Coordinates of all heavy atoms in Angstrom, one line a residue:
P8 N 180.0 104.5 109.3 CA 180.2 104.2 110.7 C 180.5 102.7 110.9 O 179.9 101.9 110.2 CB 178.9 104.5 111.4 CG 178.1 105.3 110.4 CD 178.7 105.1 109.1
G9 N 181.4 102.3 111.8 CA 181.7 100.9 112.0 C 183.1 100.7 112.5 O 183.8 101.6 112.9
I10 N 183.5 99.5 112.3 CA 184.8 99.0 112.7 C 185.7 98.7 111.5 O 185.3 98.0 110.6 CB 184.7 97.8 113.6 CG1 183.8 98.1 114.8 CG2 186.1 97.3 114.1 CD1 184.3 99.2 115.8
Y11 N 186.9 99.2 111.5 CA 187.9 98.8 110.5 C 188.7 97.6 110.9 O 189.1 97.6 112.1 CB 188.9 100.0 110.2 CG 188.2 101.1 109.5 CD1 187.4 102.0 110.2 CD2 188.4 101.3 108.1 CE1 186.8 103.1 109.5 CE2 187.8 102.4 107.5 CZ 187.0 103.2 108.2 OH 186.3 104.3 107.5
V12 N 188.8 96.6 110.0 CA 189.5 95.3 110.4 C 190.6 95.1 109.5 O 190.8 95.6 108.4 CB 188.5 94.2 110.3 CG1 187.3 94.4 111.3 CG2 187.9 93.9 108.9
C13 N 191.5 94.2 109.9 CA 192.7 93.7 109.1 C 192.2 93.0 107.9 O 191.3 92.2 108.0 CB 193.5 92.8 110.0 SG 194.9 92.1 109.1
S14 N 192.7 93.4 106.7 CA 192.3 92.8 105.5 C 192.7 91.3 105.4 O 192.2 90.6 104.6 CB 192.8 93.6 104.3 OG 194.2 93.6 104.3
K15 N 193.7 90.9 106.2 CA 194.2 89.6 106.1 C 193.5 88.6 107.0 O 193.2 87.5 106.6 CB 195.7 89.6 106.4 CG 196.4 88.3 106.2 CD 197.9 88.4 106.3 CE 198.6 87.1 106.1 NZ 200.0 87.2 106.3
C16 N 193.2 89.0 108.3 CA 192.6 88.1 109.2 C 191.3 88.5 109.9 O 190.7 87.8 110.6 CB 193.7 87.8 110.3 SG 193.9 89.1 111.5
G17 N 190.9 89.8 109.6 CA 189.6 90.3 110.2 C 189.7 90.8 111.6 O 188.7 91.1 112.2
H18 N 190.9 90.9 112.2 CA 191.1 91.4 113.5 C 190.6 92.9 113.6 O 191.0 93.7 112.7 CB 192.6 91.3 113.9 CG 192.9 91.6 115.4 ND1 192.3 90.9 116.4 CD2 193.7 92.5 115.9 CE1 192.8 91.4 117.6 NE2 193.6 92.4 117.3
E19 N 189.9 93.3 114.6 CA 189.4 94.6 114.7 C 190.5 95.6 115.1 O 191.3 95.3 116.0 CB 188.3 94.7 115.8 CG 187.0 93.9 115.4 CD 185.9 94.0 116.4 OE1 186.2 94.2 117.6 OE2 184.8 93.7 116.0
L20 N 190.6 96.7 114.3 CA 191.7 97.6 114.5 C 191.3 99.0 115.0 O 191.9 99.5 115.9 CB 192.5 97.8 113.1 CG 193.0 96.5 112.5 CD1 193.4 96.7 111.1 CD2 194.1 95.9 113.3
F21 N 190.4 99.6 114.2 CA 190.0 101.0 114.5 C 188.5 101.2 114.4 O 187.9 100.5 113.7 CB 190.6 102.0 113.5 CG 192.1 101.9 113.3 CD1 192.7 101.1 112.3 CD2 193.0 102.6 114.2 CE1 194.1 101.1 112.2 CE2 194.3 102.5 114.1 CZ 194.9 101.7 113.1
S22 N 188.0 102.2 115.2 CA 186.6 102.5 115.1 C 186.5 103.8 114.2 O 187.4 104.6 114.2 CB 186.1 102.9 116.5 OG 184.8 103.5 116.4
S23 N 185.4 103.9 113.5 CA 185.2 105.0 112.7 C 185.1 106.3 113.5 O 185.3 107.4 113.0 CB 183.9 104.9 111.8 OG 182.8 104.7 112.7
R24 N 184.8 106.2 114.8 CA 184.7 107.3 115.7 C 186.1 108.0 115.9 O 186.2 109.1 116.2 CB 184.1 107.0 117.0 CG 182.6 106.7 117.0 CD 182.1 106.3 118.2 NE 182.4 104.8 118.3 CZ 182.2 104.0 119.3 NH1 181.8 104.5 120.4 NH2 182.5 102.8 119.2
A25 N 187.2 107.2 115.6 CA 188.6 107.7 115.8 C 189.1 108.2 114.4 O 190.3 108.6 114.4 CB 189.5 106.6 116.4
K26 N 188.3 108.1 113.4 CA 188.8 108.5 112.0 C 188.6 110.1 111.9 O 187.6 110.6 112.4 CB 188.0 107.8 111.0 CG 188.4 108.0 109.6 CD 187.6 107.2 108.6 CE 188.1 107.5 107.2 NZ 187.2 106.9 106.2
Y27 N 189.5 110.7 111.2 CA 189.4 112.1 110.9 C 190.0 112.4 109.5 O 190.8 111.6 109.0 CB 190.0 112.9 112.0 CG 191.6 112.9 112.1 CD1 192.3 113.9 111.5 CD2 192.2 111.8 112.7 CE1 193.7 113.8 111.5 CE2 193.6 111.7 112.7 CZ 194.3 112.7 112.2 OH 195.7 112.7 112.2
E28 N 189.7 113.6 109.0 CA 190.2 114.0 107.7 C 191.6 114.5 107.9 O 192.0 115.2 108.8 CB 189.4 115.2 107.2 CG 188.0 114.7 106.7 CD 187.9 113.7 105.6 OE1 188.8 113.8 104.7 OE2 187.1 112.8 105.7
H29 N 192.5 114.0 107.0 CA 193.9 114.4 107.0 C 194.3 114.6 105.5 O 193.7 114.1 104.6 CB 194.7 113.3 107.6 CG 196.2 113.7 107.8 ND1 197.1 113.4 106.9 CD2 196.8 114.4 108.8 CE1 198.3 113.8 107.3 NE2 198.1 114.5 108.5
S30 N 195.4 115.3 105.3 CA 195.9 115.6 103.9 C 196.4 114.3 103.2 O 196.6 114.4 102.0 CB 196.9 116.7 103.9 OG 198.0 116.3 104.7
S31 N 196.7 113.3 103.9 CA 197.2 112.1 103.3 C 196.1 111.4 102.5 O 194.9 111.5 102.9 CB 197.9 111.1 104.3 OG 196.9 110.5 105.1
P32 N 196.4 110.6 101.5 CA 195.4 109.9 100.8 C 194.8 108.7 101.5 O 193.8 108.1 101.1 CB 196.1 109.4 99.5 CG 197.5 109.3 99.8 CD 197.7 110.4 100.9
W33 N 195.4 108.3 102.7 CA 194.9 107.1 103.4 C 194.0 107.5 104.6 O 194.2 108.7 105.1 CB 196.1 106.3 103.9 CG 197.0 105.8 102.8 CD1 196.8 104.7 102.1 CD2 198.2 106.5 102.3 NE1 197.8 104.6 101.1 CE2 198.6 105.7 101.3 CE3 198.9 107.6 102.7 CZ2 199.8 106.0 100.6 CZ3 200.0 107.9 102.0 CH2 200.4 107.1 100.9
P34 N 193.2 106.6 105.1 CA 192.4 107.0 106.3 C 193.3 107.3 107.4 O 194.4 106.7 107.6 CB 191.6 105.7 106.5 CG 191.6 104.9 105.3 CD 192.9 105.3 104.6
A35 N 192.9 108.2 108.3 CA 193.7 108.6 109.5 C 192.9 108.4 110.7 O 191.7 108.8 110.7 CB 194.2 110.1 109.3
F36 N 193.5 107.9 111.7 CA 192.9 107.6 113.0 C 193.7 108.1 114.1 O 194.9 108.2 114.1 CB 192.7 106.1 113.2 CG 191.9 105.4 112.1 CD1 192.6 104.9 111.0 CD2 190.5 105.3 112.2 CE1 191.9 104.3 110.0 CE2 189.8 104.7 111.1 CZ 190.5 104.2 110.0
T37 N 193.0 108.5 115.2 CA 193.7 109.0 116.4 C 194.1 107.9 117.4 O 195.0 108.1 118.2 CB 192.9 110.1 117.1 OG1 191.6 109.5 117.5 CG2 192.7 111.3 116.3
E38 N 193.4 106.8 117.4 CA 193.6 105.7 118.3 C 193.2 104.4 117.8 O 192.3 104.3 116.9 CB 193.0 106.0 119.7 CG 191.5 106.1 119.6 CD 190.8 106.6 120.8 OE1 191.5 106.9 121.8 OE2 189.6 106.6 120.9
T39 N 193.7 103.3 118.4 CA 193.3 102.0 118.0 C 192.0 101.6 118.8 O 191.7 102.3 119.8 CB 194.4 100.9 118.3 OG1 194.6 100.9 119.7 CG2 195.6 101.2 117.5
L40 N 191.3 100.6 118.4 CA 190.1 100.1 119.0 C 190.4 99.6 120.4 O 189.7 99.9 121.4 CB 189.4 99.1 118.2 CG 188.0 98.7 118.6 CD1 187.1 99.9 118.5 CD2 187.5 97.6 117.7
R41 N 191.4 98.8 120.5 CA 191.8 98.2 121.8 C 193.3 98.2 121.9 O 194.1 98.4 120.9 CB 191.3 96.7 121.9 CG 189.8 96.5 121.9 CD 189.4 95.1 122.2 NE 190.1 94.2 121.3 CZ 189.6 93.7 120.1 NH1 188.4 94.1 119.8 NH2 190.2 92.9 119.4
G42 N 193.8 97.9 123.1 CA 195.3 97.9 123.3 C 196.0 96.8 122.5 O 197.2 97.0 122.1
D43 N 195.3 95.7 122.2 CA 195.9 94.6 121.4 C 195.6 94.6 119.9 O 195.9 93.7 119.2 CB 195.6 93.3 122.0 CG 194.1 92.9 121.9 OD1 193.3 93.8 121.5 OD2 193.7 91.7 122.1
S44 N 195.0 95.7 119.5 CA 194.6 95.8 118.1 C 195.8 95.8 117.2 O 195.7 95.2 116.1 CB 193.7 97.1 117.8 OG 192.5 97.0 118.5
V45 N 196.8 96.5 117.6 CA 198.0 96.6 116.7 C 199.3 96.3 117.6 O 199.3 96.4 118.8 CB 198.2 97.9 116.0 CG1 197.0 98.3 115.2 CG2 198.4 99.1 117.0
A46 N 200.4 96.0 116.9 CA 201.7 95.9 117.5 C 202.5 97.1 116.9 O 202.3 97.4 115.7 CB 202.3 94.6 117.2
K47 N 203.4 97.6 117.6 CA 204.2 98.7 117.1 C 205.7 98.5 117.4 O 206.1 97.9 118.4 CB 203.8 100.0 117.9 CG 202.4 100.3 117.8 CD 202.1 101.5 118.7 CE 200.6 101.7 119.1 NZ 200.4 102.8 119.9
R48 N 206.5 99.0 116.6 CA 208.0 99.1 116.8 C 208.5 100.3 116.2 O 208.1 100.8 115.2 CB 208.7 97.8 116.3 CG 208.7 97.7 114.8 CD 209.6 96.6 114.3 NE 209.5 96.4 112.9 CZ 210.1 97.1 112.0 NH1 210.8 98.1 112.3 NH2 209.9 96.9 110.7
E49 N 209.5 100.9 116.9 CA 210.1 102.2 116.4 C 210.8 101.9 115.1 O 211.6 101.0 115.0 CB 211.1 102.8 117.4 CG 211.5 104.2 117.0 CD 212.3 104.9 118.1 OE1 212.7 104.2 119.0 OE2 212.6 106.1 117.9
E50 N 210.5 102.7 114.1 CA 211.1 102.6 112.8 C 212.1 103.8 112.6 O 213.2 103.6 112.1 CB 210.1 102.7 111.7 CG 210.8 102.5 110.3 CD 209.7 102.3 109.2 OE1 209.2 103.3 108.8 OE2 209.6 101.1 108.8
R51 N 211.7 105.0 113.1 CA 212.6 106.2 113.1 C 212.0 107.1 114.1 O 210.9 107.0 114.5 CB 212.7 106.8 111.7 CG 211.4 107.3 111.2 CD 211.6 107.8 109.7 NE 210.4 108.5 109.3 CZ 209.4 107.9 108.6 NH1 209.4 106.6 108.4 NH2 208.3 108.6 108.2
P52 N 212.8 108.1 114.5 CA 212.2 109.1 115.5 C 210.9 109.7 115.0 O 210.8 110.2 113.9 CB 213.3 110.2 115.6 CG 214.6 109.4 115.2 CD 214.2 108.4 114.2
G53 N 209.9 109.6 115.8 CA 208.6 110.2 115.5 C 207.7 109.3 114.7 O 206.6 109.7 114.4
A54 N 208.1 108.1 114.3 CA 207.3 107.2 113.5 C 207.5 105.7 114.0 O 208.6 105.2 114.1 CB 207.6 107.3 112.0
L55 N 206.4 105.1 114.3 CA 206.4 103.7 114.6 C 205.8 102.8 113.5 O 204.8 103.2 112.9 CB 205.6 103.5 115.9 CG 205.9 104.3 117.1 CD1 204.9 104.1 118.2 CD2 207.3 104.1 117.6
K56 N 206.4 101.7 113.2 CA 205.9 100.8 112.3 C 204.7 100.0 113.0 O 204.9 99.6 114.1 CB 206.9 99.8 111.8 CG 206.5 98.8 110.8 CD 206.3 99.5 109.4 CE 206.0 98.5 108.4 NZ 205.4 99.1 107.2
V57 N 203.6 99.9 112.3 CA 202.4 99.3 112.9 C 202.0 98.1 112.1 O 201.9 98.1 110.9 CB 201.2 100.4 112.9 CG1 199.9 99.8 113.5 CG2 201.6 101.6 113.7
T58 N 201.7 97.0 112.8 CA 201.2 95.8 112.2 C 200.0 95.3 113.0 O 199.7 95.7 114.1 CB 202.3 94.7 112.3 OG1 202.7 94.5 113.6 CG2 203.5 95.1 111.4
C59 N 199.2 94.4 112.4 CA 198.0 93.8 113.0 C 198.5 93.1 114.3 O 199.5 92.4 114.2 CB 197.4 92.9 112.0 SG 196.0 91.9 112.8
G60 N 197.8 93.3 115.3 CA 198.1 92.7 116.6 C 197.9 91.2 116.6 O 198.4 90.5 117.5
K61 N 197.2 90.6 115.6 CA 196.9 89.2 115.6 C 197.8 88.5 114.6 O 198.4 87.5 114.9 CB 195.4 89.0 115.2 CG 195.0 87.5 115.2 CD 193.5 87.4 115.0 CE 193.1 85.9 115.0 NZ 191.7 85.8 114.8
C62 N 197.9 89.0 113.4 CA 198.6 88.2 112.3 C 199.9 88.8 111.8 O 200.6 88.2 111.1 CB 197.7 87.9 111.1 SG 197.3 89.4 110.1
G63 N 200.1 90.1 112.2 CA 201.4 90.8 111.8 C 201.3 91.5 110.5 O 202.3 92.0 110.0
N64 N 200.1 91.5 109.8 CA 200.0 92.2 108.5 C 200.4 93.6 108.7 O 200.0 94.3 109.6 CB 198.5 92.0 108.1 CG 198.3 92.5 106.7 OD1 199.2 92.4 105.8 ND2 197.1 93.1 106.4
G65 N 201.2 94.2 107.7 CA 201.6 95.6 107.8 C 200.5 96.5 107.6 O 199.6 96.4 106.7
L66 N 200.4 97.5 108.5 CA 199.3 98.5 108.4 C 199.8 99.9 108.2 O 199.0 100.9 108.1 CB 198.5 98.5 109.7 CG 197.9 97.2 110.1 CD1 197.3 97.2 111.5 CD2 196.8 96.8 109.1
G67 N 201.1 100.1 108.2 CA 201.6 101.5 107.9 C 202.3 102.0 109.2 O 203.1 101.3 109.7
H68 N 202.0 103.2 109.6 CA 202.8 103.9 110.6 C 201.9 104.6 111.6 O 200.8 104.9 111.3 CB 203.8 104.9 110.1 CG 204.8 104.3 109.2 ND1 204.6 104.0 107.9 CD2 206.1 103.9 109.5 CE1 205.7 103.5 107.4 NE2 206.6 103.4 108.4
E69 N 202.4 104.8 112.8 CA 201.9 105.8 113.8 C 202.8 106.9 113.8 O 204.0 106.8 114.1 CB 201.7 105.2 115.2 CG 201.2 106.2 116.2 CD 201.1 105.6 117.6 OE1 201.5 104.4 117.8 OE2 200.7 106.4 118.5
F70 N 202.3 108.1 113.5 CA 203.2 109.3 113.5 C 202.9 110.0 114.8 O 201.8 110.5 115.0 CB 202.9 110.2 112.3 CG 203.2 109.5 111.0 CD1 202.2 108.9 110.2 CD2 204.5 109.4 110.6 CE1 202.6 108.2 109.0 CE2 204.9 108.8 109.4 CZ 203.9 108.2 108.6
L71 N 203.9 110.1 115.6 CA 203.7 110.7 117.0 C 203.5 112.2 116.9 O 204.2 112.9 116.1 CB 204.9 110.3 117.8 CG 205.2 108.9 117.9 CD1 206.5 108.6 118.7 CD2 204.1 108.1 118.5
N72 N 202.6 112.7 117.7 CA 202.3 114.1 117.7 C 201.9 114.8 116.4 O 202.2 115.9 116.1 CB 203.5 114.9 118.4 CG 203.7 114.4 119.8 OD1 202.8 114.4 120.6 ND2 205.0 114.1 120.0
D73 N 201.2 114.0 115.6 CA 200.8 114.5 114.2 C 199.3 114.4 114.1 O 198.8 114.3 113.0 CB 201.5 113.7 113.1 CG 201.3 114.4 111.8 OD1 201.3 115.6 111.7 OD2 201.1 113.6 110.8
G74 N 198.5 114.2 115.2 CA 197.1 114.1 115.1 C 196.4 115.4 115.1 O 197.1 116.5 115.0
P75 N 195.1 115.4 115.1 CA 194.3 116.7 115.0 C 194.4 117.6 116.2 O 194.2 118.8 116.1 CB 192.9 116.2 114.8 CG 192.8 114.8 115.4 CD 194.2 114.3 115.2
K76 N 194.8 117.0 117.3 CA 194.9 117.8 118.5 C 196.4 117.7 119.0 O 197.0 116.7 118.8 CB 194.0 117.4 119.6 CG 192.5 117.6 119.3 CD 191.6 117.1 120.4 CE 190.2 117.2 120.0 NZ 189.3 116.6 121.0
R77 N 196.8 118.7 119.7 CA 198.2 118.7 120.3 C 198.4 117.4 121.1 O 197.6 117.1 122.0 CB 198.3 119.9 121.2 CG 199.7 120.1 121.7 CD 199.8 121.5 122.5 NE 201.1 121.7 123.0 CZ 202.0 122.4 122.4 NH1 201.8 122.9 121.2 NH2 203.2 122.5 122.9
G78 N 199.5 116.7 120.9 CA 199.9 115.5 121.6 C 199.3 114.2 121.1 O 199.6 113.2 121.6
Q79 N 198.4 114.3 120.2 CA 197.8 113.1 119.6 C 198.6 112.5 118.5 O 199.3 113.2 117.8 CB 196.4 113.4 119.0 CG 195.3 113.4 120.1 CD 193.9 113.5 119.4 OE1 193.7 114.2 118.4 NE2 192.9 112.9 120.0
S80 N 198.5 111.2 118.3 CA 199.2 110.5 117.2 C 198.3 110.4 116.1 O 197.0 110.5 116.2 CB 199.7 109.2 117.7 OG 200.8 109.3 118.6
R81 N 198.8 110.1 114.9 CA 198.0 109.7 113.7 C 198.5 108.4 113.2 O 199.6 108.1 113.0 CB 198.3 110.8 112.6 CG 197.7 110.4 111.3 CD 197.9 111.5 110.3 NE 199.2 111.9 110.0 CZ 200.0 111.4 109.0 NH1 199.5 110.4 108.2 NH2 201.2 111.8 108.8
F82 N 197.5 107.5 113.1 CA 197.7 106.2 112.5 C 197.3 106.2 111.0 O 196.4 106.9 110.6 CB 196.8 105.1 113.2 CG 197.3 104.8 114.6 CD1 196.8 105.6 115.6 CD2 198.1 103.7 114.8 CE1 197.2 105.2 116.9 CE2 198.5 103.4 116.1 CZ 198.1 104.2 117.1

């Protein structure tokens, strides 16, 4: 339990309460901790490139409508 932070600057990104099991080898989250936790830009349809909202460190993607419940995203 706790808060996941950016490995580069320590900015708070995700809460363990938003973490869930997924078939990918990386941790999966349904939402960010705060609105300014990450920055997003469209990379391709259905996938947004996600970076730290403070320092711009690459964090992976947000996959739209791929969360554990209908309509949820997966980070």
Side-chain angles (χ1 to χ4, degrees):
I10 304 297
Y11 289 78
V12 300
C13 175
S14 63
K15 188 172 179 182
C16 74
H18 188 61
E19 294 182 338
L20 305 170
F21 304 98
S22 167
S23 61
R24 287 175 279 172
K26 186 177 178 187
Y27 70 98
E28 291 297 322
H29 187 267
S30 60
S31 74
W33 299 278
F36 302 91
T37 56
E38 62 188 4
T39 60
L40 190 62
R41 296 188 306 266
D43 68 347
S44 292
V45 301
K47 308 173 196 178
R48 67 174 172 77
E49 186 172 12
E50 185 170 79
R51 63 182 187 272
L55 307 176
K56 183 71 174 165
V57 178
T58 57
C59 173
K61 184 176 181 181
C62 73
N64 187 33
L66 301 173
H68 295 85
E69 176 181 1
F70 298 100
L71 306 176
N72 300 309
D73 191 38
K76 295 180 184 172
R77 185 177 180 93
Q79 279 186 321
S80 290
R81 171 174 59 93
F82 288 86

